[in-house]
């Protein structure tokens, strides 16, 4: 594995000033991605990923294991830390396509929204099938929804309730019961500023959309914004009963710290973050997790194969994607990332299934596109500033 730091330097420096053409200055005619000959021939591919530290650690574990058993494939790993410009990678791919050049990105880790953007840009990724990626047949079917076979959902996570079981004896089962618990236990619940972390944004989004029809989470028409008032009022009424009468900690870690210190008894948290910190003893032994009904949002992380027109790199990329869906790697998703596996639960050991029995009941997926960001702006204006 060759890990590139060049992209990080671009991000830290003058990335915003870099033109689209400079991002794709090298095309396939200038770069040789296959070296050697005969049995020693090695095909070089690249994986561009973004996210938190656990994502970087995961790939730094998986890629060397892959290369040990696939001597003819060399994977260059380029990691962009969350919040420092991951969007530039998809922009790079788009710019390359428009210039009819090689983006030199073979596999891209992104979100469902990137697949939608791919369609708008005339197709950035190519369709995958069990003919080329056999282990796709083991993927959880619900996670393939919306991918149009353009992506591999290799892991997932969701927002759940994290609570101190020593203090919380009557654990809410539903959103309605949770709202009642918050008012009955003033100051003991917190959610983070939704503009700084997904746990808080999931809490805001689900609270608002719980007041709408179930199908509303798939609506991208801005006219639905007129129907947000009822859910926003729930959040406004809740504010005086929250931590310090309406203080919203920064980032997902902010509320986890409050739970760890005993300043609150219950929070919404990402399942993988909470499980990792429980395992590391950063959260009290009395911490437990639970999904409620209607559930909070969550979803898979996707790997997409970029269409650069190079058949050898394409075949090597498909070999890597197939490897990621093996049981051995999926167990690393659980053990190293504390994420939900991409493959079906019954293909894993009973021990691994048991680890997630409290939170594996599912999650809702929000497919409202830019409406999610718009809702957070409205929350800032109408709820946070009251």
């Amino acid at each position: 594995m060759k890990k590139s730091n060049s992209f990080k330097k671009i991000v830290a420096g003058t990335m915003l000033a870099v033109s689209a053409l400079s991002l794709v200055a090298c095309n396939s005619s200038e770069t040789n991605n296959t070296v050697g000959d005969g049995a020693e021939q090695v095909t070089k591919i690249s994986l561009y990923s973004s996210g938190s530290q656990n994502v970087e650690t995961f790939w730094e574990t998986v890629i060397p294991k892959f290369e040990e058993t696939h001597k003819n494939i060399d994977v260059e790993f380029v990691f962009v830390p969350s919040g420092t410009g991951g969007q530039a990678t998809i922009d790079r791919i788009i710019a390359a396509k428009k210039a009819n050049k090689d983006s030199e990105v073979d596999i891209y880790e992104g979100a469902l929204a990137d697949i939608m953007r791919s369609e708008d840009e005339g197709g950035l990724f190519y369709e995958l099938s069990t003919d080329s990626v056999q282990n796709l047949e083991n993927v959880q079917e619900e996670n393939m929804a919306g991918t149009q076979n353009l992506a591999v959902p290799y892991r997932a996570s969701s927002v759940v309730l994290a609570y101190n079981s020593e203090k919380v004896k009557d654990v809410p089962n539903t959103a309605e019961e949770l709202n009642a618990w918050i008012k009955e236990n003033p100051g003991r619940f917190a959610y983070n500023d939704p503009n700084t972390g997904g746990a808080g944004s999931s809490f805001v989004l689900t609270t608002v959309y719980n007041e709408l029809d179930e199908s509303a989470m798939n609506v991208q028409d801005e006219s639905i914004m007129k129907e947000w008032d009822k859910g926003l009022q729930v959040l406004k009424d809740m504010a005086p009963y929250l931590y310090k009468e309406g203080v919203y900690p920064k980032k997902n870690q902010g509320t986890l710290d409050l739970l760890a210190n005993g300043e609150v008894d219950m929070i919404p948290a990402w399942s993988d973050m909470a499980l990792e910190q429980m395992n590391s003893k950063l959260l009290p032994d009395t911490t437990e997790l639970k999904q409620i009904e209607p559930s909070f949002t969550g979803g898979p992380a996707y790997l997409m194969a970029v269409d650069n027109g190079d058949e050898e790199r394409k075949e090597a990329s498909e070999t890597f994607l197939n490897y990621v869906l093996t049981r051995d790697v999926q167990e690393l998703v659980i053990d190293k990332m504390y994420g939900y596996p991409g493959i079906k639960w019954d293909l894993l050991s009973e021990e691994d299934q048991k680890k997630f029995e409290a939170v594996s009941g599912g999650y809702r997926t929000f497919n409202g596109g830019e409406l999610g960001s718009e809702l957070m702006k409205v929350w800032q204006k109408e709820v946070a500033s009251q």
Side-chain angles (χ1 to χ4, degrees), residues 44 58 72 111 137 140 148 192 194 196 212 240 271 274 276 311 317 337 359:
K44 296 183 178 181
F58 172 78
N72 61 331
E137 64 186 15
Q140 297 182 39
Q148 300 175 60
N192 64 278
T196 67
L212 305 176
S271 56
E276 181 178 18
E311 288 302 316
S317 296
M337 303 187 77
V359 294

Side-chain angles (χ1 to χ4, degrees), residues 348-379:
L348 299 166
S349 67
E350 291 185 11
E351 180 183 358
D352 281 335
Q353 293 181 53
K354 188 173 179 60
K355 290 179 183 177
F356 288 83
E357 61 184 0
V359 294
S360 61
Y363 47 78
R364 285 185 289 173
T365 302
F366 179 71
N367 295 314
E370 292 301 316
L371 286 175
S373 298
E374 290 302 313
L375 177 55
M376 301 312 134
K377 294 177 185 177
V378 174
W379 176 90

Side-chain angles (χ1 to χ4, degrees), residues 68-137:
E68 284 177 11
T69 55
H70 298 79
K71 303 293 187 182
N72 61 331
I73 301 175
D74 181 21
V75 182
E76 179 187 29
F77 176 42
V78 182
F79 182 75
V80 185
S82 180
T84 59
Q87 184 62 33
T89 303
I90 191 72
D91 291 338
R92 173 188 183 130
I93 297 170
I94 291 170
K97 181 175 179 61
K98 289 181 177 179
N100 196 30
K101 294 184 177 181
D102 186 348
S103 68
E104 298 194 14
V105 179
D106 293 294
I107 301 173
Y108 169 66
E109 179 170 3
L112 200 61
D114 294 317
I115 298 173
M116 298 166 62
R117 191 170 179 187
S118 171
E119 289 186 330
D120 295 338
E121 299 294 342
L124 307 174
F125 315 115
Y126 62 84
E127 189 171 340
L128 302 166
S129 71
T130 53
D131 291 336
S132 56
V133 184
Q134 185 177 357
N135 287 331
L136 272 175
E137 64 186 15

Side-chain angles (χ1 to χ4, degrees), residues 295-324:
S295 61
F296 293 113
T297 54
Y302 301 91
L303 295 174
M304 289 152 264
V306 182
D307 191 357
N308 286 313
D310 188 310
E311 288 302 316
E312 290 184 352
R313 286 159 58 193
K314 178 179 178 180
E315 183 177 340
S317 296
E318 291 166 348
T319 299
F320 181 78
L321 293 174
N322 195 63
Y323 176 78
V324 171

Side-chain angles (χ1 to χ4, degrees), residues 1 5-6 26 82 96 103 106 129 136 148 158 163 173 187 203 206 260 280 287 289 292 297 309 318 343 348 353:
M1 174 185 69
N5 291 317
S6 60
C26 297
S82 180
S103 68
D106 293 294
S129 71
L136 272 175
Q148 300 175 60
S158 68
Y163 63 94
N173 294 304
F203 182 81
T206 53
S280 301
T287 304
L289 307 179
I292 61 173
T297 54
E318 291 166 348
I343 63 174
L348 299 166
Q353 293 181 53

Side-chain angles (χ1 to χ4, degrees), residues 261-335:
N261 296 333
E263 295 185 64
V264 297
D265 300 325
M266 188 184 298
I267 62 170
W270 279 108
S271 56
D272 52 352
M273 287 187 71
L275 285 164
E276 181 178 18
Q277 295 188 31
M278 288 165 67
N279 185 69
S280 301
K281 305 300 181 183
L282 296 175
L283 287 170
D285 291 339
T286 54
T287 304
E288 294 188 13
L289 307 179
K290 182 175 184 176
Q291 186 60 277
I292 61 173
E293 291 293 337
S295 61
F296 293 113
T297 54
Y302 301 91
L303 295 174
M304 289 152 264
V306 182
D307 191 357
N308 286 313
D310 188 310
E311 288 302 316
E312 290 184 352
R313 286 159 58 193
K314 178 179 178 180
E315 183 177 340
S317 296
E318 291 166 348
T319 299
F320 181 78
L321 293 174
N322 195 63
Y323 176 78
V324 171
L325 294 176
T326 61
R327 176 168 165 168
D328 286 348
V329 176
Q330 290 294 297
E331 287 175 347
L332 287 174
V333 168
I334 294 174
D335 296 336

